[in-house]
Amino acid sequence: MVAAVRVHKVGGPEVLTYEEIELPAPGQGQIRVKQHACGVNFIDTYFRMGMYPSPVGLPFVSGNEGAGEVTAVGPGVTDVKVGDRVGYVVALGCYASERNVPADRAVKLPANISYEQAAAMMLKGMTAEYLLRRTFKVDKGMNVFVHAAAGGVGLILCQWANHLGANVIGTVGSKDKAALAKANGCHHTILYRDEDFAARTKEITGGKLCSVIYDGIGKTTFPASLDCLAPLGYFVSYGSASGQVEAFNINILQTKGSLFATRPTLNTYAAKREDLLAIANDLFDVVGKGAVKIPINQKYALKDAVKAHKDLESRNTTGSSILLP
Ligand SMILES: NC(=O)c1ccc[n+]([C@@H]2O[C@H](COP(=O)([O-])OP(=O)(O)OC[C@H]3O[C@@H](n4cnc5c(N)ncnc54)[C@H](OP(=O)(O)O)[C@@H]3O)[C@@H](O)[C@H]2O)c1
C-alpha cells in the first residue's frame, strides 16, 4: 500500500482525500518511482473540479508533475534503470508516495537539478520553454507581456524572457507580488486589480504595445489582453485561472490589428519523445547555469493537499508549490 491523494467525486478542494491505495507492479513499458516531491499546478484544480474530464474516470489520484527515484522497471523498459533520478509530467497520478510512470515520459535529471526543483518545474518550466521558444520566438528588444507574473509559470516566464533580452511587462495581484516579479526579471509591473492594464501597457511602451501576451488568466482578462498587442501580435491563451475565455467573433482579431490567437498545451508540444527531451534539456540548461531560478515558495506535506489547493485558488501563493510525501 502507498499513500496517495484521490478524488472520488469532483468538486472543491475538500474532495481531495488522503488515503492508502494498492500499487501494482510496473506493467509493460512502466517504471516504479519512489516520489521525493510532487508539483502542485493550476491544472490539478481543473481536473479536481471536473472542468477537465479525468482520462481514467473516478476515483483518480490527483497531480500532474513529480520527481523521484526509480525503484523497479517493468517489461520492455531498456533505457531507464533502478536507481535513476527522474522527473516527469503525466496526466494524473502524481500526488502519491510511490507510483508507476510510462518510461517514455520520464526524463533523467542532471546531477545539478534536485528532486524538489524538478517537481516544481517539469510542468511549469517546460511550459515556459515552449511558450517562449516555440509558440512564439521571443527575441532581444521585444515587449513581452506576462499575466500573473508572480505565479508558478509567471516567475519562470519573466526570468527567461528577461534572459532572452526582452522588455518584460507583467500583471500582479498585490504590491508584494509586484516586488517579487521585479526581483525575478519583470521590468514593469501592473496591479491589474486596480489599474487598466491595457492603458498602462500603452503608457509603458510609449504606444508601441507588445509582440506577444502570455495569458493564463482567461475569462477576466479577455478581451482586454488583445489591446496590449501591437499589429500582428500573438495572443497566447495558455490557461484559465479565472475561468475559460468565452466564444468570441474571430473578426475581433482583424479589427485589433491582424492578430494571431492560439490556445496551446504542453501535451502537444512535448508529445514526441525527442521534443520532450529537447524542451527538458533547454530548461535544465537555463536552470543549471542560474539564468532561471525556480522559487519554491510553498511546501506542504502530501496529506495537506487540500490546503495547497485552497491557497493556490485563493491567489495566496507565489512561484511554485510542492507536496512532500
Ligand atoms: N497550457 C499549458 O501548457 C499550461 C501548462 C502549465 C500551466 N498552465 C496554466 O498556467 C496558468 C498558471 O499556472 P500555475 O500553476 O503557475 O498557477 P499560478 O500562476 O501560480 O496561480 C494562478 C495565479 O493566477 C492569478 N489569478 C488571477 N485571477 C485568478 C482567479 N480568479 N483565481 C485564481 N487565480 C487567479 C493569481 O495571481 P495574482 O494574484 O497575481 O492575480 C494566481 O496566483 C494557469 O492558467 C494554468 O492552467 C498552462
Side-chain angles (χ1 to χ4, degrees):
M1 302 292 276
V2 302
V5 176
R6 285 205 293 187
V7 170
H8 292 264
K9 66 171 184 358
V10 296
E14 65 289 346
V15 303
L16 295 169
T17 310
Y18 180 73
E19 55 198 352
E20 295 279 312
I21 62 167
E22 298 267 5
L23 181 65
Q28 180 74 29
Q30 290 186 328
I31 54 174
R32 178 184 278 224
V33 178
K34 182 181 180 334
Q35 306 228 99
H36 285 245
C38 321
V40 178
N41 290 276
F42 226 88
I43 191 174
D44 307 351
T45 70
Y46 306 153
F47 280 113
R48 190 208 68 220
M49 67 175 85
M51 184 165 108
Y52 286 3
S54 155
V56 294
L58 289 167
F60 63 82
V61 176
S62 192
N64 298 274
E65 177 183 42
E69 183 189 340
V70 178
T71 55
V73 301
V77 175
T78 52
D79 54 351
V80 183
K81 57 182 192 319
V82 171
D84 280 350
R85 302 168 68 251
V86 294
Y88 61 87
V89 175
V90 172
L92 302 181
C94 297
Y95 292 2
S97 58
E98 289 182 62
R99 63 160 306 175
N100 294 327
V101 177
D104 64 0
R105 292 283 95 194
V107 179
K108 285 186 202 172
L109 300 177
N112 62 351
I113 302 291
S114 71
Y115 286 126
E116 292 195 3
Q117 272 178 316
M121 77 177 189
M122 292 305 291
L123 177 49
K124 290 174 271 282
M126 290 204 291
T127 295
E129 199 276 355
Y130 85 76
L131 291 175
L132 297 167
R133 312 306 297 136
R134 294 161 199 258
T135 305
F136 179 87
K137 238 178 164 5
V138 166
D139 222 334
K140 227 180 171 57
M142 285 180 176
N143 292 328
V144 168
F145 194 110
V146 176
H147 273 306
V153 179
L155 283 182
I156 301 174
L157 280 175
C158 289
Q159 294 176 76
W160 205 330
N162 181 307
H163 174 62
L164 293 168
N167 179 41
V168 187
I169 302 167
T171 52
V172 285
S174 69
K175 286 187 176 153
D176 287 348
K177 289 188 178 188
L180 182 68
K182 279 205 166 142
N184 284 275
C186 187
H187 298 95
H188 308 274
T189 52
I190 303 173
L191 293 165
Y192 60 168
R193 288 179 168 203
D194 310 321
E195 299 177 280
D196 174 339
F197 65 83
R200 285 278 294 122
T201 303
K202 203 168 178 184
E203 260 171 47
I204 291 166
T205 60
K208 285 191 177 150
L209 300 173
C210 301
S211 304
V212 60
I213 181 162
Y214 294 110
D215 188 338
I217 306 301
K219 191 171 184 153
T220 57
T221 46
F222 189 83
S225 285
L226 302 179
D227 295 323
C228 300
L229 290 171
L232 305 177
Y234 274 69
F235 171 57
V236 181
S237 172
Y238 74 99
S240 317
S242 70
Q244 291 175 327
V245 173
E246 279 164 19
F248 62 92
N249 183 338
I250 199 165
N251 284 342
I252 195 174
L253 301 177
Q254 175 218 331
T255 54
K256 290 187 184 289
S258 301
L259 304 177
F260 295 85
T262 180
R263 179 43 177 106
T265 165
L266 177 63
N267 290 342
T268 321
Y269 282 87
K272 291 188 196 140
R273 174 115 186 119
E274 72 219 57
D275 291 330
L276 170 69
L277 295 179
I279 293 171
N281 284 335
D282 210 5
L283 174 65
F284 295 153
D285 177 53
V286 290
V287 174
K289 66 188 181 202
V292 172
K293 300 203 166 53
I294 306 297
I296 304 173
N297 294 346
Q298 298 74 219
K299 293 186 188 181
Y300 307 87
L302 180 60
K303 66 177 174 45
D304 295 329
V306 171
K307 178 160 171 44
H309 276 220
K310 281 185 177 163
D311 288 350
L312 186 62
E313 287 175 288
S314 56
R315 305 169 77 161
N316 281 332
T317 64
T318 58
S320 297
S321 304
I322 56 170
L323 302 173
L324 299 171

